[in-house]
Amino acid sequence: MTTLVEVQDISKSFGAVNAVDGVSLEIDQGQFFSLLGPSGCGKTTLLRLIAGFERPSSGHLLIDNKPMDGVEPNLRPTNMVFQNYAIFPHLNVEQNVAYGLRKKSISKIEKEEMINQVLELVGLSELNLRSANALSGGQKQRVALARALILKPKVLLLDEPLSALDKKLREQMQLELRHLQRAVGITFILVTHDQEEALTMSDKVAVMFDGKVEQVASPRELYERPTSQRVASFIGAMNFINGTVMEAKNEIGINSDILGPLTISRSQVFGDLTENKIIIGIRPERISIVSDGSSVTGSISGRITDASYFGETTYYKVACGKGSETLTVSAQNSFGQMDYQIGEEVKLNVDIKSLVGFSD
Amino acid sequence: MSRSTKYLKIFAYTYLIFLYAPALLLPLFSFNASQIIAFPLSGFTTNWFENLLYQETLHEALKNSLIVAVSSSILGTILGVLASRAATRYDFTGKQISLTFILAPLVLPEIIVGVALLIVLIQLGLPLNLWSVVLGHTLLILPFSILIMNSAFSNLDISLEEASMDLGENQFGTFYRVILPLVFPGIMASLLIGFTLSLDEFIIAFFLTGTETTLPVYIWAQFRFPKKLPTTMALGTVLLIVSLILLSLSEYFRRRAANSQNSVL
Ligand SMILES: Nc1ncnc2c1ncn2[C@@H]1O[C@H](COP(=O)(O)OP(=O)(O)O)[C@@H](O)[C@H]1O
Ligand SMILES: [Mg+2]
């Protein structure tokens, strides 16, 4: 795979605020890439740096091996779908979509054909003459997409494109965007604060905090092997358990109140292991409730203190060990699955292979 | 309705009556058959309006007024557009102070503006003619234009400009294809208000004009001839109606400017 966008140690500060702080990234040709992070972490600023609306305070940007220093947005091979869509209110759908075609030497008939094709691609056929003010949020979003895609950019930049839509439409658009990206083969860079959105849509995700990229990985790797506690708790839910390192060789021996002594591989632990304190992370769905308290199987004893019902899953809080530590456990409400009552004594099994350790 | 809003309403209506009742006398007497401006009315006539068609000095003054009003409203609006664009998009030192000074003619008595300009022009050795009136009126119109254009420009979503740049337009194309159409109603409102202000303005025109008089100065001169009073009233009536039409039009554009952009967001 060839690298299309290369962000080289870029920083951008607004006065005293370091909005983007020494970010380096490589984004491949044809990739669906997401920038994920909490509000204010610098995602939009990074996207605007790539589009050319902001100039970096330091660092460089290459697109298709060409340096972008001082290149104006109108001369970059990028197009953007703005967070508020930025549809031109004085133009109709067709005029909006054709906006960027003016300077291209294309015949009128060809233009007409391109417009109809792209409108069909985004699911807006026959709406050519609809006024921009008469469009719903979802339709505006499609016009914004069509307007950018018709120019066949090398990179399409999307700033929280789905955040203004209601849940149903958002989930539908997530799928559509993904299909669209595969169909046109253009590199997409998506900004989002919604981890679910990033995981379901992307080939690769960069997680940002405070202007810095903390981890770049595939969705699966990000979820199963988060390299820091911050990433782990931002993406999905995770239990954190205090433990002590007993032995650190190829295998790491750990002891903890709740889990007792156990051994995990070095590749499951992130950090330098200079101290013997360690935080063990475990996802709620990697713990199972195996039985009621009277049974002998199951390694951990606990008592249910809380249950939250979410339809397909129920989240239980289970008090374990001697102390007041609780684990969150999720159980699929599938056929044959038992219900547990608050106060009930249970035994838990933990999937040791899915544990991660954070040492820092 | 509470008591206080009721009193407020009474106050507002009284205020409006005192403000506009005298203006209503103008059309009333301009259709009155008698030359003497007094009650009781003595009959209906349109003679005074017909008279307007034969007053050559009036036609000359009207032409002068139109030249001044068109030029100064265009000049004032161009300057207003540039100043508001700068004020809403860019930050620079001295922005607030320069804006305050530009807006000062709004509250300064016109006689001060008129006298000050007269002194400056004489000191510079420039002749007094219609163009010096245009200069004075431009100064008068500019603050109104700035206030109107400020609201037009600050309603303008910056991401529309960025979208245009993103789609390949340069600064100039963006101004022409996005900014101008979106602030167009504001520009129309500014032109119309400027035109009306200039058409009615007396003091500055009186101080700065040379031998060529504008309409208000002409009207003022006519008051020396009691016989011509009813004709002058007819002229006043026409001016009143034209002003009302122009102001309603400009209000229409001003509201459209506000609406067309609100619905965008
Ligand atoms: N034009 C600007 N002027 C000043 N500060 C800005 C500007 N743009 C962004 N910031 C600041 O930079 C930080 C990152 O902002 P942003 O990139 O919008 O974050 P995100 O998109 O992740 O929510 C924030 O603290 C924000 O206040
Ligand atoms: Mg943002």
Side-chain angles (χ1 to χ4, degrees), chain A residues 202-259:
Chain A
S202 323
D203 297 314
K204 214 157 217 186
V205 182
V207 185
M208 289 181 70
F209 291 105
D210 301 329
K212 294 190 174 74
V213 169
E214 189 131 336
Q215 186 175 2
V216 185
S218 69
R220 177 178 285 272
E221 196 183 342
L222 210 55
Y223 189 78
E224 295 181 358
R225 289 283 180 269
T227 53
S228 72
Q229 222 180 318
R230 221 162 30 158
V231 172
S233 48
F234 188 72
I235 295 172
M238 190 172 250
N239 293 294
F240 296 109
I241 303 160
N242 291 311
T244 316
V245 179
M246 310 303 286
E247 190 187 3
K249 289 185 185 152
N250 286 340
E251 308 261 279
I252 314 290
I254 300 171
N255 199 3
S256 73
D257 274 1
I258 299 185
L259 302 177

Side-chain angles (χ1 to χ4, degrees), chain A residues 12-15 17-20 35-48 54 83 159-160 191-193 208 211:
Chain A
K12 172 72 186 177
S13 46
F14 299 103
V17 181
N18 291 326
V20 170
L35 296 169
L36 172 67
S39 172
C41 72
K43 310 178 293 289
T44 296
T45 306
L46 183 54
L47 203 70
R48 290 171 58 82
E54 308 285 355
Q83 188 161 13
D159 190 358
E160 312 238 7
V191 158
T192 178
H193 65 268
M208 289 181 70

Side-chain angles (χ1 to χ4, degrees), chain B residues 73 76-77 141 144-146 148-149 185-195 250:
Chain B
S73 58
T77 301
I141 291 168
F144 288 91
S145 176
I146 287 184
I148 293 171
M149 294 317 298
I187 291 179
M188 284 308 290
S190 164
L191 283 174
L192 287 166
I193 281 192
F195 186 89
S250 99

